[in-house]
């Protein structure tokens, strides 16, 4: 059904969690499914959407939009990497997998300050963790975010 909503070729990537889906398109990120823990990134009042909905911060119709080049989903959290190499995360945070230093659910995309000065190039997520790769100057590094 999604191809009826977008021009052909506009869909670049799809990521799926346990109850939600992210679509990376020419227009930005669209989400679909459950948002019990905020994993859709649409704010605390949205608990579910049956049709793809844009995340405003990552939508080209927003004059201050952030261009996203990579998306990933954990079971109940979501990740996005911007063109500038910033990591954004939102959703379920019980095990610290968001990376913002606490375990409170995040209902809108949040840039993770820990990666300031680093260029995140890849990220992946599981049930209660986030992993990825970043570059500092000419050196690469790996990261894993979880409850220790």
């Amino acid at each position: 059904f999604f191809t009826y909503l977008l021009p052909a070729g506009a869909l670049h990537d799809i990521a799926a969690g346990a109850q939600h889906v992210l679509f990376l398109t020419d227009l930005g990120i669209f989400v679909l499914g459950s948002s019990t823990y905020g994993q859709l990134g649409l704010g605390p009042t949205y608990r579910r959407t049956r049709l793809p909905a844009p995340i405003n911060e990552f939508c080209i119709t927003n004059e201050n939009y952030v261009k996203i080049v990579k998306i990933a989903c954990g079971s109940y959290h979501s990740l996005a990497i911007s063109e500038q190499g910033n990591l954004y995360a939102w959703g379920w945070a019980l095990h610290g997998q968001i990376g913002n230093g606490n375990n409170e659910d995040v209902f809108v995309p949040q840039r993770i300050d820990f990666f300031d000065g680093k260029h995140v190039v890849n990220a992946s997520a599981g049930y209660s963790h986030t992993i990825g790769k970043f570059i500092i100057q000419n050196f690469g590094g790996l990261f894993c975010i979880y409850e220790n």
Side-chain angles (χ1 to χ4, degrees), residues 17-40:
Q19 299 175 341
H20 71 295
V21 180
L22 273 62
F23 303 96
L24 180 58
T25 75
D26 286 342
L27 305 174
I29 295 180
F30 288 77
V31 294
L32 176 70
S34 170
S35 195
T36 304
Y37 304 102
Q39 63 265 43
L40 294 183

Side-chain angles (χ1 to χ4, degrees), residues 99 111-118 134 143 145:
R111 188 174 59 79
I112 306 305
D113 295 337
F114 174 80
F115 295 102
D116 286 352
K118 302 168 186 75
F134 63 87
F143 63 87
I145 305 169

Side-chain angles (χ1 to χ4, degrees), residues 46-115:
Y46 283 90
R47 292 297 182 194
R48 152 176 28 137
T49 179
R50 294 179 190 266
L51 294 173
I55 297 178
N56 187 47
E57 183 174 359
F58 304 135
C59 186
I60 64 170
T61 57
N62 176 352
E63 69 180 53
N64 297 319
Y65 100 105
V66 175
K67 182 173 181 169
I68 298 300
V69 295
K70 176 108 175 96
I71 55 174
C73 290
S75 292
Y76 302 101
H77 70 292
S78 302
L79 307 171
I81 300 172
S82 73
E83 193 172 50
Q84 294 78 27
N86 293 314
L87 178 66
Y88 292 81
W90 60 98
W92 191 48
L94 181 65
H95 301 285
Q97 63 268 41
I98 298 298
N100 62 358
N102 67 54
N103 59 0
E104 295 177 19
D105 296 342
V106 177
F107 290 86
V108 294
Q110 183 176 83
R111 188 174 59 79
I112 306 305
D113 295 337
F114 174 80
F115 295 102

